[in-house]
Amino acid sequence: MYLVGLTGGIASGKSTVSSMLRELGCPIIDADVVARKVVEQHTLAYSRIVYHFGPEILLENGEIDRQKLGQIIFANEEKRKLLNSITHPEIHKAMLKEILFYFLRGYRYVVLDVPLLFETRRLTQFLNHTVVVYCDPATQLLRLMQRDGLTQEQAEQRVAAQMPLNEKRGLANHVIENSGGREDTHRQVLRLHTKLEDSMDFLLVRVIAIAATAGLGGILLYAAKILLS
């Protein structure tokens, strides 16, 4: 099994593309979903967040108020880095468990849906393909304002907190252009799906995994049997 990284920018349409791939049968590990799980009450990340940001970021039921925490980190780069240093290691460990689950089930590849894929760069070295969902800046800003009910200033602040989409596009192997309609995006996703299905990258990864499991001695014994047969 090989790994595909899917990313984009806030309100660029990454979730739409992820849903389309899931409908086509692709296994998806959503970092946002994992991120919510690792900060649930009684987890290590939850305790560290409350310690550093204070109980005022909690809802009445004790859960983290994601909106309030978001307002803090988007307005303060140091606090955003602090939060990332707390959550990212826990997110990556949880994602690794899911990757192993799909590997054992025999999937050819799994898609890692990661908003900050290129910002953190911790996962890129393990990826065979990277996909960026792109839309032009004006469309991105308008979608964000409409989706979250933000002012233009608030929306610009959130967009500025991320790596520019143009920069991400230059780092990716594949780009889904999502400035237009849903049908056009779907056609591009179908083409991407075909490329991923046709890729033979999973064979090399499986050979390496088998070799690591069997050990060099097992490989040499197998080779000797073939030569002597």
Side-chain angles (χ1 to χ4, degrees):
M1 187 185 72
Y2 64 92
L3 302 178
V4 179
L6 174 67
T7 192
I10 188 169
S12 70
K14 178 181 61 61
S15 295
T16 297
V17 171
S18 181
S19 296
M20 290 177 178
L21 288 170
R22 184 178 281 108
E23 290 171 2
L24 292 169
C26 300
I28 307 289
I29 299 177
D30 189 331
D32 279 342
V33 174
V34 174
R36 285 192 286 272
K37 290 181 180 179
V38 302
V39 298
E40 289 177 349
Q41 294 184 57
H42 311 301
T43 62
L44 175 62
Y46 173 91
S47 299
R48 292 186 64 194
I49 290 171
V50 175
Y51 174 80
H52 286 286
F53 290 88
E56 59 270 19
I57 58 135
L58 299 178
L59 297 168
E60 290 185 3
N61 61 4
E63 295 179 359
I64 292 175
D65 187 332
R66 295 173 61 85
Q67 184 176 4
K68 185 175 292 184
L69 185 58
Q71 291 172 348
I72 294 172
I73 65 170
F74 280 119
N76 188 309
E77 184 177 359
E78 290 303 315
K79 290 187 177 180
R80 184 166 66 250
K81 289 180 179 179
L82 172 60
L83 180 65
N84 290 341
S85 71
I86 294 171
T87 58
H88 286 176
E90 299 303 315
I91 292 170
H92 293 159
K93 283 191 289 186
M95 291 178 72
L96 178 59
K97 291 180 181 178
E98 292 195 39
I99 290 169
L100 291 174
F101 169 77
Y102 285 118
F103 175 78
L104 293 173
R105 293 187 64 186
Y107 280 88
R108 287 189 171 205
Y109 65 93
V110 63
V111 177
L112 307 183
D113 183 340
V114 185
L116 302 180
L117 181 66
F118 292 126
E119 282 89 339
T120 63
R121 297 182 180 273
R122 292 178 180 174
L123 296 174
T124 53
Q125 61 183 315
F126 304 110
L127 304 176
N128 295 73
H129 299 266
T130 53
V131 183
V132 163
V133 182
Y134 176 86
C135 70
D136 63 81
T139 300
Q140 181 186 21
L141 200 63
L142 180 60
R143 287 175 178 170
L144 180 57
M145 292 167 63
Q146 293 176 339
R147 188 191 72 182
D148 294 352
L150 301 175
T151 65
Q152 182 171 335
E153 183 180 358
Q154 289 172 324
E156 288 174 345
Q157 187 181 56
R158 281 159 173 73
V159 171
Q162 297 184 346
M163 181 186 294
L165 276 174
N166 273 326
E167 190 174 343
K168 289 186 179 183
R169 181 168 62 176
L171 295 171
N173 304 123
H174 311 277
V175 177
I176 301 293
E177 169 59 62
N178 190 42
S179 298
R182 185 180 179 87
E183 289 186 3
D184 181 52
T185 299
H186 191 254
R187 283 193 292 268
Q188 295 176 68
V189 171
L190 287 175
R191 288 197 294 269
L192 172 65
H193 178 253
T194 300
K195 290 179 182 178
L196 296 177
E197 286 293 313
D198 291 344
S199 174
M200 302 301 289
D201 289 348
F202 78 99
L203 288 176
L204 176 60
V205 177
R206 284 209 173 267
V207 168
I208 293 173
I210 292 171
T213 302
L216 181 58
I219 297 297
L220 293 175
L221 179 61
Y222 178 69
K225 286 182 179 179
I226 293 177
L227 292 172
L228 293 175
S229 61

